[in-house]
mmCIF file of all heavy atoms in Angstrom:
data_model
loop_
_atom_site.group_PDB
_atom_site.id
_atom_site.type_symbol
_atom_site.label_atom_id
_atom_site.label_comp_id
_atom_site.label_asym_id
_atom_site.label_seq_id
_atom_site.Cartn_x
_atom_site.Cartn_y
_atom_site.Cartn_z
ATOM 1 N N ASP A 51 188.874 122.769 104.777
ATOM 2 C CA ASP A 51 188.837 122.710 106.228
ATOM 3 C C ASP A 51 190.246 123.007 106.795
ATOM 4 O O ASP A 51 191.264 122.712 106.149
ATOM 5 C CB ASP A 51 188.395 121.332 106.728
ATOM 6 C CG ASP A 51 186.918 121.059 106.448
ATOM 7 O OD1 ASP A 51 186.138 122.014 106.329
ATOM 8 O OD2 ASP A 51 186.558 119.864 106.360
ATOM 9 N N THR A 52 190.309 123.595 107.981
ATOM 10 C CA THR A 52 191.589 123.815 108.651
ATOM 11 C C THR A 52 191.633 123.029 109.961
ATOM 12 O O THR A 52 190.621 122.848 110.622
ATOM 13 C CB THR A 52 191.792 125.307 108.943
ATOM 14 O OG1 THR A 52 190.731 125.809 109.767
ATOM 15 C CG2 THR A 52 191.865 126.106 107.648
ATOM 16 N N PHE A 53 192.855 122.598 110.287
ATOM 17 C CA PHE A 53 193.025 121.719 111.465
ATOM 18 C C PHE A 53 194.153 122.252 112.352
ATOM 19 O O PHE A 53 195.272 122.497 111.843
ATOM 20 C CB PHE A 53 193.361 120.287 111.023
ATOM 21 C CG PHE A 53 192.308 119.668 110.135
ATOM 22 C CD1 PHE A 53 192.369 119.811 108.754
ATOM 23 C CD2 PHE A 53 191.259 118.962 110.674
ATOM 24 C CE1 PHE A 53 191.401 119.273 107.916
ATOM 25 C CE2 PHE A 53 190.282 118.387 109.869
ATOM 26 C CZ PHE A 53 190.357 118.556 108.484
ATOM 27 N N LYS A 54 193.881 122.445 113.598
ATOM 28 C CA LYS A 54 194.894 122.826 114.595
ATOM 29 C C LYS A 54 194.789 121.901 115.768
ATOM 30 O O LYS A 54 193.755 121.834 116.426
ATOM 31 C CB LYS A 54 194.640 124.282 115.022
ATOM 32 C CG LYS A 54 195.695 124.774 116.013
ATOM 33 C CD LYS A 54 195.459 126.233 116.367
ATOM 34 C CE LYS A 54 196.530 126.750 117.321
ATOM 35 N NZ LYS A 54 196.285 128.187 117.679
ATOM 36 N N ASN A 55 195.843 121.142 115.983
ATOM 37 C CA ASN A 55 195.843 120.145 117.045
ATOM 38 C C ASN A 55 194.628 119.244 116.986
ATOM 39 O O ASN A 55 194.013 118.947 118.031
ATOM 40 C CB ASN A 55 195.949 120.846 118.426
ATOM 41 C CG ASN A 55 197.251 121.558 118.625
ATOM 42 O OD1 ASN A 55 198.285 121.159 118.084
ATOM 43 N ND2 ASN A 55 197.230 122.636 119.404
ATOM 44 N N SER A 56 194.282 118.826 115.821
ATOM 45 C CA SER A 56 193.128 117.935 115.592
ATOM 46 C C SER A 56 193.473 116.946 114.478
ATOM 47 O O SER A 56 192.997 117.076 113.345
ATOM 48 C CB SER A 56 191.900 118.759 115.200
ATOM 49 O OG SER A 56 191.531 119.664 116.230
ATOM 50 N N PRO A 57 194.315 115.953 114.757
ATOM 51 C CA PRO A 57 194.705 115.020 113.731
ATOM 52 C C PRO A 57 193.534 114.118 113.295
ATOM 53 O O PRO A 57 192.684 113.776 114.055
ATOM 54 C CB PRO A 57 195.796 114.182 114.398
ATOM 55 C CG PRO A 57 195.442 114.225 115.858
ATOM 56 C CD PRO A 57 194.888 115.599 116.065
ATOM 57 N N ASN A 58 193.527 113.786 111.992
ATOM 58 C CA ASN A 58 192.479 112.928 111.440
ATOM 59 C C ASN A 58 192.848 111.458 111.651
ATOM 60 O O ASN A 58 194.033 111.093 111.604
ATOM 61 C CB ASN A 58 192.255 113.234 109.956
ATOM 62 C CG ASN A 58 191.803 114.648 109.751
ATOM 63 O OD1 ASN A 58 190.853 115.105 110.397
ATOM 64 N ND2 ASN A 58 192.458 115.380 108.854
ATOM 65 N N GLU A 59 191.843 110.605 111.821
ATOM 66 C CA GLU A 59 192.077 109.201 112.041
ATOM 67 C C GLU A 59 191.148 108.370 111.151
ATOM 68 O O GLU A 59 189.912 108.464 111.279
ATOM 69 C CB GLU A 59 191.866 108.799 113.486
ATOM 70 C CG GLU A 59 192.154 107.318 113.747
ATOM 71 C CD GLU A 59 191.855 106.886 115.175
ATOM 72 O OE1 GLU A 59 190.677 106.981 115.611
ATOM 73 O OE2 GLU A 59 192.782 106.451 115.867
ATOM 74 N N GLU A 60 191.744 107.594 110.246
ATOM 75 C CA GLU A 60 190.955 106.713 109.378
ATOM 76 C C GLU A 60 191.660 105.346 109.400
ATOM 77 O O GLU A 60 192.450 105.026 108.511
ATOM 78 C CB GLU A 60 190.863 107.252 107.970
ATOM 79 C CG GLU A 60 189.937 106.433 107.072
ATOM 80 C CD GLU A 60 189.684 107.115 105.741
ATOM 81 O OE1 GLU A 60 190.301 108.129 105.435
ATOM 82 O OE2 GLU A 60 188.825 106.581 104.979
ATOM 83 N N PRO A 61 191.380 104.518 110.407
ATOM 84 C CA PRO A 61 192.102 103.257 110.528
ATOM 85 C C PRO A 61 191.654 102.231 109.517
ATOM 86 O O PRO A 61 190.518 102.226 109.029
ATOM 87 C CB PRO A 61 191.749 102.817 111.957
ATOM 88 C CG PRO A 61 190.408 103.423 112.210
ATOM 89 C CD PRO A 61 190.410 104.719 111.460
ATOM 90 N N ALA A 62 192.585 101.334 109.192
ATOM 91 C CA ALA A 62 192.316 100.158 108.342
ATOM 92 C C ALA A 62 191.685 100.565 107.038
ATOM 93 O O ALA A 62 190.826 99.832 106.496
ATOM 94 C CB ALA A 62 191.406 99.172 109.125
ATOM 95 N N TRP A 63 192.106 101.674 106.429
ATOM 96 C CA TRP A 63 191.534 102.068 105.151
ATOM 97 C C TRP A 63 191.831 101.076 104.030
ATOM 98 O O TRP A 63 191.063 100.923 103.094
ATOM 99 C CB TRP A 63 192.031 103.465 104.746
ATOM 100 C CG TRP A 63 193.499 103.556 104.521
ATOM 101 C CD1 TRP A 63 194.450 103.927 105.407
ATOM 102 C CD2 TRP A 63 194.191 103.253 103.321
ATOM 103 N NE1 TRP A 63 195.710 103.867 104.853
ATOM 104 C CE2 TRP A 63 195.581 103.468 103.543
ATOM 105 C CE3 TRP A 63 193.814 102.800 102.043
ATOM 106 C CZ2 TRP A 63 196.556 103.241 102.594
ATOM 107 C CZ3 TRP A 63 194.775 102.589 101.083
ATOM 108 C CH2 TRP A 63 196.136 102.816 101.360
ATOM 109 N N ASP A 64 192.964 100.352 104.150
ATOM 110 C CA ASP A 64 193.294 99.350 103.139
ATOM 111 C C ASP A 64 192.297 98.190 103.166
ATOM 112 O O ASP A 64 192.078 97.530 102.136
ATOM 113 C CB ASP A 64 194.720 98.830 103.352
ATOM 114 C CG ASP A 64 194.964 98.340 104.778
ATOM 115 O OD1 ASP A 64 194.210 98.725 105.680
ATOM 116 O OD2 ASP A 64 195.917 97.577 104.971
ATOM 117 N N ARG A 65 191.647 97.982 104.303
ATOM 118 C CA ARG A 65 190.640 96.909 104.404
ATOM 119 C C ARG A 65 189.231 97.414 104.068
ATOM 120 O O ARG A 65 188.452 96.704 103.446
ATOM 121 C CB ARG A 65 190.663 96.305 105.815
ATOM 122 C CG ARG A 65 189.564 95.278 106.063
ATOM 123 C CD ARG A 65 189.626 94.738 107.486
ATOM 124 N NE ARG A 65 188.460 93.894 107.781
ATOM 125 C CZ ARG A 65 188.174 93.418 108.981
ATOM 126 N NH1 ARG A 65 188.982 93.665 110.026
ATOM 127 N NH2 ARG A 65 187.086 92.678 109.166
ATOM 128 N N PHE A 66 188.914 98.632 104.528
ATOM 129 C CA PHE A 66 187.551 99.119 104.410
ATOM 130 C C PHE A 66 187.385 100.235 103.373
ATOM 131 O O PHE A 66 186.254 100.669 103.138
ATOM 132 C CB PHE A 66 187.090 99.658 105.783
ATOM 133 C CG PHE A 66 186.979 98.609 106.829
ATOM 134 C CD1 PHE A 66 187.799 98.666 107.968
ATOM 135 C CD2 PHE A 66 186.092 97.544 106.706
ATOM 136 C CE1 PHE A 66 187.700 97.672 108.951
ATOM 137 C CE2 PHE A 66 185.998 96.571 107.684
ATOM 138 C CZ PHE A 66 186.794 96.636 108.816
ATOM 139 N N GLY A 67 188.460 100.681 102.760
ATOM 140 C CA GLY A 67 188.355 101.747 101.765
ATOM 141 C C GLY A 67 188.476 103.134 102.389
ATOM 142 O O GLY A 67 188.273 103.315 103.594
ATOM 143 N N ARG A 68 188.817 104.088 101.523
ATOM 144 C CA ARG A 68 188.891 105.476 101.981
ATOM 145 C C ARG A 68 187.467 106.044 102.092
ATOM 146 O O ARG A 68 186.663 105.940 101.140
ATOM 147 C CB ARG A 68 189.697 106.297 101.000
ATOM 148 C CG ARG A 68 191.182 105.980 100.988
ATOM 149 C CD ARG A 68 191.866 106.536 102.221
ATOM 150 N NE ARG A 68 193.323 106.429 102.124
ATOM 151 C CZ ARG A 68 194.161 106.676 103.109
ATOM 152 N NH1 ARG A 68 193.702 107.017 104.299
ATOM 153 N NH2 ARG A 68 195.462 106.581 102.939
ATOM 154 N N CYS A 69 187.173 106.707 103.215
ATOM 155 C CA CYS A 69 185.819 107.208 103.433
ATOM 156 C C CYS A 69 185.719 108.732 103.306
ATOM 157 O O CYS A 69 184.601 109.259 103.282
ATOM 158 C CB CYS A 69 185.342 106.793 104.814
ATOM 159 S SG CYS A 69 185.073 105.008 104.975
ATOM 160 N N ILE A 70 186.828 109.415 103.236
ATOM 161 C CA ILE A 70 186.781 110.885 103.065
ATOM 162 C C ILE A 70 187.991 111.333 102.256
ATOM 163 O O ILE A 70 189.109 110.825 102.425
ATOM 164 C CB ILE A 70 186.720 111.597 104.422
ATOM 165 C CG1 ILE A 70 186.453 113.081 104.238
ATOM 166 C CG2 ILE A 70 187.939 111.314 105.292
ATOM 167 C CD1 ILE A 70 186.042 113.795 105.536
ATOM 168 N N ALA A 71 187.766 112.260 101.349
ATOM 169 C CA ALA A 71 188.825 112.852 100.544
ATOM 170 C C ALA A 71 189.072 114.285 101.048
ATOM 171 O O ALA A 71 188.105 115.003 101.389
ATOM 172 C CB ALA A 71 188.440 112.881 99.067
ATOM 173 N N PHE A 72 190.325 114.702 101.031
ATOM 174 C CA PHE A 72 190.683 116.033 101.517
ATOM 175 C C PHE A 72 191.164 116.862 100.328
ATOM 176 O O PHE A 72 192.079 116.501 99.616
ATOM 177 C CB PHE A 72 191.755 115.947 102.566
ATOM 178 C CG PHE A 72 191.310 115.286 103.844
ATOM 179 C CD1 PHE A 72 191.471 113.910 104.030
ATOM 180 C CD2 PHE A 72 190.684 116.022 104.820
ATOM 181 C CE1 PHE A 72 190.993 113.287 105.189
ATOM 182 C CE2 PHE A 72 190.214 115.393 105.989
ATOM 183 C CZ PHE A 72 190.385 114.047 106.173
ATOM 184 N N GLU A 73 190.485 118.009 100.116
ATOM 185 C CA GLU A 73 190.816 118.882 99.031
ATOM 186 C C GLU A 73 191.113 120.293 99.586
ATOM 187 O O GLU A 73 190.215 120.944 100.078
ATOM 188 C CB GLU A 73 189.666 118.954 98.011
ATOM 189 C CG GLU A 73 189.323 117.610 97.402
ATOM 190 C CD GLU A 73 188.100 117.689 96.462
ATOM 191 O OE1 GLU A 73 187.577 118.804 96.303
ATOM 192 O OE2 GLU A 73 187.737 116.639 95.947
ATOM 193 N N GLY A 74 192.339 120.683 99.535
ATOM 194 C CA GLY A 74 192.693 122.035 99.979
ATOM 195 C C GLY A 74 192.644 122.242 101.457
ATOM 196 O O GLY A 74 192.503 123.389 101.940
#
């Protein structure tokens, strides 16, 4: 995936775990 002016947000991952992995 490509991102332009679209930051990702995954809050509190240390409490709830990582929900998405980014590859390439």
Side-chain angles (χ1 to χ4, degrees):
D51 290 335
T52 58
F53 302 89
K54 182 177 182 181
N55 294 330
S56 298
N58 298 310
E59 182 184 62
E60 187 171 7
W63 63 266
D64 52 340
R65 176 181 171 187
F66 295 117
R68 291 286 190 189
C69 293
I70 189 166
F72 294 92
E73 300 177 1

